[in-house]
Amino acid sequence: MGILNVTLDSFSDGGRYARYDDAIAHARSLVADGADIIDVGGESTRPGAARVEVHEEQRRVIPVIRELAALGFRISIDTMNAATAFAAVEAGADIVNDVSGGLADPNMAQVVVDTDATYIAMHWRGHSDTMNSRAVYGDAVAEVKAELFQRVAELVVQGVDPDRLVIDPGLGFAKRAEHNWQLLGHLAELSEIGLPVLVAASRKRFLGALLPEEAGVGERDPATAVISALSAQAGAWGVRVHDVATTRAALDVWDAWQKGSRA
């Protein structure tokens, strides 16, 4: 899943693809590099980010989604807003990637039911302005797993088809570095919920701690690619990344390794 931030304030590439032509060109590049899905987002969810009005979010993403759909690309809409999710699916998206897991907007589950979209529900404890204070766990793996299971159960009760659900442990969202590593190290346990798992670690702050202090955000891509390969080994459904080419190379190596082990 290649990330296309049509935003002004995303932590990694805010503003680079805010213009329509730049967004389309970058999406083409991501697909050429090996992306299977383009994840289009119009609102930053980095820690401390301000919320964006729904009409502004849609102004940013809907024209881009229409054009990418016309090009035949598979598209995901990264949004917490039910109205934006609905408009995006109408424009050609077939996946709704909701970092709040339906908690930010009570109408989201009904949109998923009405549109038959695949729905990615992330583990979430609150909006960007409060999530750091909520990063308190006795056992991060057990608690995230339990909270995701509860969220899935509530979505199913609201009519969402479990066959169209994907879960995301929410790395970096109400998580400190040690929580992120614990979740990655026990990724197979999250799969015990019985649903596909998306891993979204790309360029996040906890990876920066592995690098020299002066390293830029883009220098986290090799670490992201290693996580992508290890996530594939652990059975992940997908990985969401900024630098598709490096992760695609890592996944190709992992795939060849797997084939070699079966020869």
Side-chain angles (χ1 to χ4, degrees), residues 39 43-45 77-80 96-104 108 119-128 168 170 173 204 240:
D39 190 46
E43 177 180 11
S44 174
T45 52
I77 175 63
D78 177 2
T79 185
M80 293 182 281
V96 176
N97 181 16
D98 180 0
V99 300
S100 81
L103 292 170
M108 184 64 85
Y119 184 63
I120 303 172
M122 195 191 81
H123 175 264
W124 190 76
R125 286 186 167 182
H127 287 288
S128 297
D168 177 345
F173 288 80
K204 289 188 174 176
R240 179 181 181 273

PDB file of all heavy atoms in Angstrom, residues 39 43-45 77-80 96-104 108 119-128 168 170 173 204 240:
ATOM      1  N   ASP A  39      -3.098   4.588  -1.064  1.00  0.00           N
ATOM      2  CA  ASP A  39      -3.857   5.041   0.102  1.00  0.00           C
ATOM      3  C   ASP A  39      -3.841   6.565   0.131  1.00  0.00           C
ATOM      4  O   ASP A  39      -2.815   7.180   0.437  1.00  0.00           O
ATOM      5  CB  ASP A  39      -3.229   4.463   1.374  1.00  0.00           C
ATOM      6  CG  ASP A  39      -4.095   4.681   2.608  1.00  0.00           C
ATOM      7  OD1 ASP A  39      -5.312   4.443   2.531  1.00  0.00           O
ATOM      8  OD2 ASP A  39      -3.546   5.080   3.661  1.00  0.00           O
ATOM      9  N   GLU A  43      -6.031  14.328   5.543  1.00  0.00           N
ATOM     10  CA  GLU A  43      -5.932  14.876   6.890  1.00  0.00           C
ATOM     11  C   GLU A  43      -4.798  14.175   7.622  1.00  0.00           C
ATOM     12  O   GLU A  43      -4.787  12.951   7.724  1.00  0.00           O
ATOM     13  CB  GLU A  43      -7.243  14.678   7.663  1.00  0.00           C
ATOM     14  CG  GLU A  43      -7.170  15.175   9.093  1.00  0.00           C
ATOM     15  CD  GLU A  43      -8.479  14.976   9.863  1.00  0.00           C
ATOM     16  OE1 GLU A  43      -9.376  14.269   9.364  1.00  0.00           O
ATOM     17  OE2 GLU A  43      -8.597  15.536  10.971  1.00  0.00           O
ATOM     18  N   SER A  44      -3.850  14.938   8.120  1.00  0.00           N
ATOM     19  CA  SER A  44      -2.732  14.352   8.850  1.00  0.00           C
ATOM     20  C   SER A  44      -3.210  13.809  10.196  1.00  0.00           C
ATOM     21  O   SER A  44      -4.044  14.418  10.871  1.00  0.00           O
ATOM     22  CB  SER A  44      -1.645  15.396   9.096  1.00  0.00           C
ATOM     23  OG  SER A  44      -0.632  14.863   9.928  1.00  0.00           O
ATOM     24  N   THR A  45      -2.660  12.648  10.571  1.00  0.00           N
ATOM     25  CA  THR A  45      -2.972  12.071  11.879  1.00  0.00           C
ATOM     26  C   THR A  45      -1.713  11.967  12.741  1.00  0.00           C
ATOM     27  O   THR A  45      -1.677  11.215  13.707  1.00  0.00           O
ATOM     28  CB  THR A  45      -3.611  10.678  11.727  1.00  0.00           C
ATOM     29  OG1 THR A  45      -2.795   9.864  10.878  1.00  0.00           O
ATOM     30  CG2 THR A  45      -5.004  10.790  11.134  1.00  0.00           C
ATOM     31  N   ILE A  77      -9.123   5.016   0.813  1.00  0.00           N
ATOM     32  CA  ILE A  77      -9.269   6.357   1.367  1.00  0.00           C
ATOM     33  C   ILE A  77      -8.928   6.308   2.856  1.00  0.00           C
ATOM     34  O   ILE A  77      -9.500   5.530   3.612  1.00  0.00           O
ATOM     35  CB  ILE A  77     -10.692   6.934   1.151  1.00  0.00           C
ATOM     36  CG1 ILE A  77     -10.850   8.296   1.851  1.00  0.00           C
ATOM     37  CG2 ILE A  77     -11.776   5.970   1.613  1.00  0.00           C
ATOM     38  CD1 ILE A  77      -9.946   9.392   1.322  1.00  0.00           C
ATOM     39  N   ASP A  78      -7.965   7.120   3.234  1.00  0.00           N
ATOM     40  CA  ASP A  78      -7.515   7.209   4.627  1.00  0.00           C
ATOM     41  C   ASP A  78      -8.302   8.345   5.286  1.00  0.00           C
ATOM     42  O   ASP A  78      -7.974   9.518   5.101  1.00  0.00           O
ATOM     43  CB  ASP A  78      -6.015   7.490   4.636  1.00  0.00           C
ATOM     44  CG  ASP A  78      -5.430   7.681   6.032  1.00  0.00           C
ATOM     45  OD1 ASP A  78      -6.188   7.558   7.018  1.00  0.00           O
ATOM     46  OD2 ASP A  78      -4.219   7.957   6.136  1.00  0.00           O
ATOM     47  N   THR A  79      -9.353   7.987   6.030  1.00  0.00           N
ATOM     48  CA  THR A  79     -10.208   9.003   6.629  1.00  0.00           C
ATOM     49  C   THR A  79     -10.905   8.482   7.866  1.00  0.00           C
ATOM     50  O   THR A  79     -11.159   7.279   7.991  1.00  0.00           O
ATOM     51  CB  THR A  79     -11.272   9.496   5.623  1.00  0.00           C
ATOM     52  OG1 THR A  79     -12.019  10.578   6.208  1.00  0.00           O
ATOM     53  CG2 THR A  79     -12.243   8.379   5.234  1.00  0.00           C
ATOM     54  N   MET A  80     -11.225   9.399   8.771  1.00  0.00           N
ATOM     55  CA  MET A  80     -12.037   9.083   9.948  1.00  0.00           C
ATOM     56  C   MET A  80     -13.469   9.563   9.781  1.00  0.00           C
ATOM     57  O   MET A  80     -14.302   9.348  10.673  1.00  0.00           O
ATOM     58  CB  MET A  80     -11.442   9.746  11.199  1.00  0.00           C
ATOM     59  CG  MET A  80     -10.100   9.206  11.627  1.00  0.00           C
ATOM     60  SD  MET A  80      -9.500  10.000  13.152  1.00  0.00           S
ATOM     61  CE  MET A  80      -8.879  11.551  12.465  1.00  0.00           C
ATOM     62  N   VAL A  96     -11.739   1.498   2.749  1.00  0.00           N
ATOM     63  CA  VAL A  96     -11.772   2.604   3.705  1.00  0.00           C
ATOM     64  C   VAL A  96     -10.785   2.275   4.818  1.00  0.00           C
ATOM     65  O   VAL A  96     -10.931   1.269   5.506  1.00  0.00           O
ATOM     66  CB  VAL A  96     -13.184   2.816   4.293  1.00  0.00           C
ATOM     67  CG1 VAL A  96     -13.153   3.912   5.360  1.00  0.00           C
ATOM     68  CG2 VAL A  96     -14.171   3.163   3.189  1.00  0.00           C
ATOM     69  N   ASN A  97      -9.777   3.116   4.972  1.00  0.00           N
ATOM     70  CA  ASN A  97      -8.731   2.933   5.974  1.00  0.00           C
ATOM     71  C   ASN A  97      -8.960   3.963   7.075  1.00  0.00           C
ATOM     72  O   ASN A  97      -8.628   5.137   6.910  1.00  0.00           O
ATOM     73  CB  ASN A  97      -7.360   3.112   5.314  1.00  0.00           C
ATOM     74  CG  ASN A  97      -6.217   2.919   6.292  1.00  0.00           C
ATOM     75  OD1 ASN A  97      -6.391   2.381   7.379  1.00  0.00           O
ATOM     76  ND2 ASN A  97      -5.034   3.376   5.898  1.00  0.00           N
ATOM     77  N   ASP A  98      -9.512   3.520   8.178  1.00  0.00           N
ATOM     78  CA  ASP A  98      -9.959   4.421   9.246  1.00  0.00           C
ATOM     79  C   ASP A  98      -9.088   4.221  10.481  1.00  0.00           C
ATOM     80  O   ASP A  98      -9.196   3.203  11.172  1.00  0.00           O
ATOM     81  CB  ASP A  98     -11.429   4.123   9.564  1.00  0.00           C
ATOM     82  CG  ASP A  98     -12.003   5.004  10.664  1.00  0.00           C
ATOM     83  OD1 ASP A  98     -11.276   5.855  11.205  1.00  0.00           O
ATOM     84  OD2 ASP A  98     -13.198   4.814  10.981  1.00  0.00           O
ATOM     85  N   VAL A  99      -8.227   5.203  10.784  1.00  0.00           N
ATOM     86  CA  VAL A  99      -7.330   5.056  11.928  1.00  0.00           C
ATOM     87  C   VAL A  99      -8.075   5.039  13.258  1.00  0.00           C
ATOM     88  O   VAL A  99      -7.513   4.647  14.271  1.00  0.00           O
ATOM     89  CB  VAL A  99      -6.248   6.157  11.953  1.00  0.00           C
ATOM     90  CG1 VAL A  99      -5.386   6.114  10.711  1.00  0.00           C
ATOM     91  CG2 VAL A  99      -6.844   7.539  12.162  1.00  0.00           C
ATOM     92  N   SER A 100      -9.333   5.449  13.258  1.00  0.00           N
ATOM     93  CA  SER A 100     -10.109   5.431  14.505  1.00  0.00           C
ATOM     94  C   SER A 100     -10.917   4.147  14.671  1.00  0.00           C
ATOM     95  O   SER A 100     -11.582   3.960  15.691  1.00  0.00           O
ATOM     96  CB  SER A 100     -11.051   6.637  14.563  1.00  0.00           C
ATOM     97  OG  SER A 100     -12.239   6.406  13.813  1.00  0.00           O
ATOM     98  N   GLY A 101     -10.901   3.278  13.678  1.00  0.00           N
ATOM     99  CA  GLY A 101     -11.687   2.049  13.772  1.00  0.00           C
ATOM    100  C   GLY A 101     -13.176   2.286  13.932  1.00  0.00           C
ATOM    101  O   GLY A 101     -13.898   1.458  14.488  1.00  0.00           O
ATOM    102  N   GLY A 102     -13.658   3.413  13.453  1.00  0.00           N
ATOM    103  CA  GLY A 102     -15.081   3.728  13.538  1.00  0.00           C
ATOM    104  C   GLY A 102     -15.480   4.470  14.794  1.00  0.00           C
ATOM    105  O   GLY A 102     -16.662   4.787  14.969  1.00  0.00           O
ATOM    106  N   LEU A 103     -14.515   4.798  15.649  1.00  0.00           N
ATOM    107  CA  LEU A 103     -14.843   5.471  16.907  1.00  0.00           C
ATOM    108  C   LEU A 103     -14.970   6.978  16.745  1.00  0.00           C
ATOM    109  O   LEU A 103     -15.658   7.631  17.538  1.00  0.00           O
ATOM    110  CB  LEU A 103     -13.784   5.155  17.963  1.00  0.00           C
ATOM    111  CG  LEU A 103     -13.756   3.701  18.441  1.00  0.00           C
ATOM    112  CD1 LEU A 103     -12.520   3.444  19.305  1.00  0.00           C
ATOM    113  CD2 LEU A 103     -15.025   3.363  19.219  1.00  0.00           C
ATOM    114  N   ALA A 104     -14.326   7.555  15.738  1.00  0.00           N
ATOM    115  CA  ALA A 104     -14.370   9.008  15.566  1.00  0.00           C
ATOM    116  C   ALA A 104     -15.689   9.482  14.971  1.00  0.00           C
ATOM    117  O   ALA A 104     -16.103  10.618  15.206  1.00  0.00           O
ATOM    118  CB  ALA A 104     -13.208   9.466  14.690  1.00  0.00           C
ATOM    119  N   MET A 108     -19.718   5.751  10.495  1.00  0.00           N
ATOM    120  CA  MET A 108     -18.783   5.058   9.607  1.00  0.00           C
ATOM    121  C   MET A 108     -19.220   3.625   9.312  1.00  0.00           C
ATOM    122  O   MET A 108     -19.149   3.165   8.164  1.00  0.00           O
ATOM    123  CB  MET A 108     -17.381   5.056  10.205  1.00  0.00           C
ATOM    124  CG  MET A 108     -16.330   4.444   9.299  1.00  0.00           C
ATOM    125  SD  MET A 108     -16.071   5.348   7.748  1.00  0.00           S
ATOM    126  CE  MET A 108     -14.887   6.595   8.288  1.00  0.00           C
ATOM    127  N   TYR A 119     -12.906  -2.657   4.864  1.00  0.00           N
ATOM    128  CA  TYR A 119     -12.728  -1.684   5.942  1.00  0.00           C
ATOM    129  C   TYR A 119     -11.541  -2.059   6.809  1.00  0.00           C
ATOM    130  O   TYR A 119     -11.480  -3.168   7.354  1.00  0.00           O
ATOM    131  CB  TYR A 119     -13.998  -1.611   6.795  1.00  0.00           C
ATOM    132  CG  TYR A 119     -13.960  -0.557   7.875  1.00  0.00           C
ATOM    133  CD1 TYR A 119     -13.850   0.789   7.547  1.00  0.00           C
ATOM    134  CD2 TYR A 119     -14.050  -0.900   9.225  1.00  0.00           C
ATOM    135  CE1 TYR A 119     -13.827   1.764   8.526  1.00  0.00           C
ATOM    136  CE2 TYR A 119     -14.040   0.070  10.213  1.00  0.00           C
ATOM    137  CZ  TYR A 119     -13.925   1.409   9.860  1.00  0.00           C
ATOM    138  OH  TYR A 119     -13.903   2.373  10.831  1.00  0.00           O
ATOM    139  N   ILE A 120     -10.591  -1.145   6.917  1.00  0.00           N
ATOM    140  CA  ILE A 120      -9.425  -1.336   7.781  1.00  0.00           C
ATOM    141  C   ILE A 120      -9.688  -0.589   9.085  1.00  0.00           C
ATOM    142  O   ILE A 120      -9.792   0.643   9.103  1.00  0.00           O
ATOM    143  CB  ILE A 120      -8.143  -0.829   7.121  1.00  0.00           C
ATOM    144  CG1 ILE A 120      -7.919  -1.534   5.778  1.00  0.00           C
ATOM    145  CG2 ILE A 120      -6.943  -1.037   8.049  1.00  0.00           C
ATOM    146  CD1 ILE A 120      -6.774  -0.962   4.954  1.00  0.00           C
ATOM    147  N   ALA A 121      -9.793  -1.347  10.171  1.00  0.00           N
ATOM    148  CA  ALA A 121     -10.061  -0.783  11.496  1.00  0.00           C
ATOM    149  C   ALA A 121      -8.774  -0.796  12.311  1.00  0.00           C
ATOM    150  O   ALA A 121      -8.246  -1.858  12.624  1.00  0.00           O
ATOM    151  CB  ALA A 121     -11.148  -1.590  12.207  1.00  0.00           C
ATOM    152  N   MET A 122      -8.292   0.380  12.647  1.00  0.00           N
ATOM    153  CA  MET A 122      -7.058   0.484  13.418  1.00  0.00           C
ATOM    154  C   MET A 122      -7.352   0.560  14.915  1.00  0.00           C
ATOM    155  O   MET A 122      -8.411   1.058  15.328  1.00  0.00           O
ATOM    156  CB  MET A 122      -6.269   1.721  12.980  1.00  0.00           C
ATOM    157  CG  MET A 122      -4.824   1.738  13.443  1.00  0.00           C
ATOM    158  SD  MET A 122      -4.025   3.349  13.189  1.00  0.00           S
ATOM    159  CE  MET A 122      -4.648   4.247  14.635  1.00  0.00           C
ATOM    160  N   HIS A 123      -6.403   0.089  15.717  1.00  0.00           N
ATOM    161  CA  HIS A 123      -6.509   0.269  17.171  1.00  0.00           C
ATOM    162  C   HIS A 123      -6.294   1.748  17.481  1.00  0.00           C
ATOM    163  O   HIS A 123      -5.320   2.357  17.051  1.00  0.00           O
ATOM    164  CB  HIS A 123      -5.455  -0.570  17.891  1.00  0.00           C
ATOM    165  CG  HIS A 123      -5.451  -0.335  19.370  1.00  0.00           C
ATOM    166  ND1 HIS A 123      -4.584   0.551  19.978  1.00  0.00           N
ATOM    167  CD2 HIS A 123      -6.224  -0.847  20.359  1.00  0.00           C
ATOM    168  CE1 HIS A 123      -4.815   0.560  21.278  1.00  0.00           C
ATOM    169  NE2 HIS A 123      -5.806  -0.272  21.534  1.00  0.00           N
ATOM    170  N   TRP A 124      -7.204   2.322  18.250  1.00  0.00           N
ATOM    171  CA  TRP A 124      -7.228   3.775  18.466  1.00  0.00           C
ATOM    172  C   TRP A 124      -7.747   4.075  19.856  1.00  0.00           C
ATOM    173  O   TRP A 124      -8.717   3.468  20.312  1.00  0.00           O
ATOM    174  CB  TRP A 124      -8.148   4.391  17.417  1.00  0.00           C
ATOM    175  CG  TRP A 124      -8.169   5.874  17.262  1.00  0.00           C
ATOM    176  CD1 TRP A 124      -7.238   6.647  16.654  1.00  0.00           C
ATOM    177  CD2 TRP A 124      -9.226   6.769  17.648  1.00  0.00           C
ATOM    178  NE1 TRP A 124      -7.640   7.961  16.620  1.00  0.00           N
ATOM    179  CE2 TRP A 124      -8.859   8.057  17.235  1.00  0.00           C
ATOM    180  CE3 TRP A 124     -10.445   6.592  18.307  1.00  0.00           C
ATOM    181  CZ2 TRP A 124      -9.661   9.179  17.452  1.00  0.00           C
ATOM    182  CZ3 TRP A 124     -11.241   7.696  18.519  1.00  0.00           C
ATOM    183  CH2 TRP A 124     -10.857   8.981  18.097  1.00  0.00           C
ATOM    184  N   ARG A 125      -7.106   5.020  20.522  1.00  0.00           N
ATOM    185  CA  ARG A 125      -7.571   5.433  21.852  1.00  0.00           C
ATOM    186  C   ARG A 125      -7.929   6.912  21.926  1.00  0.00           C
ATOM    187  O   ARG A 125      -8.338   7.383  22.985  1.00  0.00           O
ATOM    188  CB  ARG A 125      -6.497   5.114  22.900  1.00  0.00           C
ATOM    189  CG  ARG A 125      -6.396   3.636  23.234  1.00  0.00           C
ATOM    190  CD  ARG A 125      -5.425   3.390  24.369  1.00  0.00           C
ATOM    191  NE  ARG A 125      -5.540   2.038  24.908  1.00  0.00           N
ATOM    192  CZ  ARG A 125      -4.820   1.596  25.939  1.00  0.00           C
ATOM    193  NH1 ARG A 125      -3.943   2.388  26.539  1.00  0.00           N
ATOM    194  NH2 ARG A 125      -4.994   0.357  26.366  1.00  0.00           N
ATOM    195  N   GLY A 126      -7.790   7.638  20.842  1.00  0.00           N
ATOM    196  CA  GLY A 126      -8.129   9.053  20.872  1.00  0.00           C
ATOM    197  C   GLY A 126      -7.434   9.824  19.772  1.00  0.00           C
ATOM    198  O   GLY A 126      -6.526   9.325  19.115  1.00  0.00           O
ATOM    199  N   HIS A 127      -7.882  11.057  19.570  1.00  0.00           N
ATOM    200  CA  HIS A 127      -7.350  11.904  18.504  1.00  0.00           C
ATOM    201  C   HIS A 127      -5.895  12.301  18.753  1.00  0.00           C
ATOM    202  O   HIS A 127      -5.363  12.115  19.846  1.00  0.00           O
ATOM    203  CB  HIS A 127      -8.217  13.153  18.343  1.00  0.00           C
ATOM    204  CG  HIS A 127      -9.539  12.875  17.690  1.00  0.00           C
ATOM    205  ND1 HIS A 127      -9.651  12.584  16.354  1.00  0.00           N
ATOM    206  CD2 HIS A 127     -10.809  12.836  18.198  1.00  0.00           C
ATOM    207  CE1 HIS A 127     -10.933  12.388  16.050  1.00  0.00           C
ATOM    208  NE2 HIS A 127     -11.652  12.531  17.150  1.00  0.00           N
ATOM    209  N   SER A 128      -5.279  12.851  17.727  1.00  0.00           N
ATOM    210  CA  SER A 128      -3.848  13.148  17.747  1.00  0.00           C
ATOM    211  C   SER A 128      -3.428  14.051  18.900  1.00  0.00           C
ATOM    212  O   SER A 128      -2.309  13.934  19.400  1.00  0.00           O
ATOM    213  CB  SER A 128      -3.445  13.801  16.422  1.00  0.00           C
ATOM    214  OG  SER A 128      -3.642  12.917  15.346  1.00  0.00           O
ATOM    215  N   ASP A 168      -5.545  -3.269  12.109  1.00  0.00           N
ATOM    216  CA  ASP A 168      -4.247  -2.589  12.129  1.00  0.00           C
ATOM    217  C   ASP A 168      -3.931  -2.295  13.597  1.00  0.00           C
ATOM    218  O   ASP A 168      -4.739  -1.682  14.290  1.00  0.00           O
ATOM    219  CB  ASP A 168      -4.367  -1.295  11.319  1.00  0.00           C
ATOM    220  CG  ASP A 168      -3.109  -0.437  11.307  1.00  0.00           C
ATOM    221  OD1 ASP A 168      -2.212  -0.668  12.137  1.00  0.00           O
ATOM    222  OD2 ASP A 168      -3.042   0.480  10.481  1.00  0.00           O
ATOM    223  N   GLY A 170      -2.086  -0.165  14.910  1.00  0.00           N
ATOM    224  CA  GLY A 170      -1.972   1.261  15.223  1.00  0.00           C
ATOM    225  C   GLY A 170      -0.620   1.664  15.772  1.00  0.00           C
ATOM    226  O   GLY A 170      -0.546   2.394  16.775  1.00  0.00           O
ATOM    227  N   PHE A 173       0.246   5.184  17.440  1.00  0.00           N
ATOM    228  CA  PHE A 173      -0.985   5.830  17.905  1.00  0.00           C
ATOM    229  C   PHE A 173      -1.252   5.383  19.341  1.00  0.00           C
ATOM    230  O   PHE A 173      -1.629   4.234  19.581  1.00  0.00           O
ATOM    231  CB  PHE A 173      -2.165   5.453  17.016  1.00  0.00           C
ATOM    232  CG  PHE A 173      -2.145   6.083  15.656  1.00  0.00           C
ATOM    233  CD1 PHE A 173      -1.343   5.561  14.646  1.00  0.00           C
ATOM    234  CD2 PHE A 173      -2.912   7.203  15.376  1.00  0.00           C
ATOM    235  CE1 PHE A 173      -1.316   6.134  13.382  1.00  0.00           C
ATOM    236  CE2 PHE A 173      -2.896   7.784  14.112  1.00  0.00           C
ATOM    237  CZ  PHE A 173      -2.086   7.255  13.119  1.00  0.00           C
ATOM    238  N   LYS A 204       8.053   6.047  10.859  1.00  0.00           N
ATOM    239  CA  LYS A 204       7.559   6.550  12.142  1.00  0.00           C
ATOM    240  C   LYS A 204       8.690   6.800  13.125  1.00  0.00           C
ATOM    241  O   LYS A 204       9.805   6.293  12.997  1.00  0.00           O
ATOM    242  CB  LYS A 204       6.504   5.595  12.706  1.00  0.00           C
ATOM    243  CG  LYS A 204       5.215   5.671  11.891  1.00  0.00           C
ATOM    244  CD  LYS A 204       4.057   4.915  12.482  1.00  0.00           C
ATOM    245  CE  LYS A 204       2.791   5.184  11.649  1.00  0.00           C
ATOM    246  NZ  LYS A 204       1.629   4.397  12.110  1.00  0.00           N
ATOM    247  N   ARG A 240       1.849  -0.660   4.707  1.00  0.00           N
ATOM    248  CA  ARG A 240       1.565   0.690   4.210  1.00  0.00           C
ATOM    249  C   ARG A 240       2.856   1.496   4.314  1.00  0.00           C
ATOM    250  O   ARG A 240       3.367   1.718   5.412  1.00  0.00           O
ATOM    251  CB  ARG A 240       0.452   1.315   5.054  1.00  0.00           C
ATOM    252  CG  ARG A 240       0.052   2.731   4.668  1.00  0.00           C
ATOM    253  CD  ARG A 240      -1.049   3.232   5.602  1.00  0.00           C
ATOM    254  NE  ARG A 240      -1.480   4.580   5.256  1.00  0.00           N
ATOM    255  CZ  ARG A 240      -0.902   5.702   5.712  1.00  0.00           C
ATOM    256  NH1 ARG A 240       0.133   5.619   6.537  1.00  0.00           N
ATOM    257  NH2 ARG A 240      -1.357   6.886   5.348  1.00  0.00           N
TER     258      ARG A 240
END
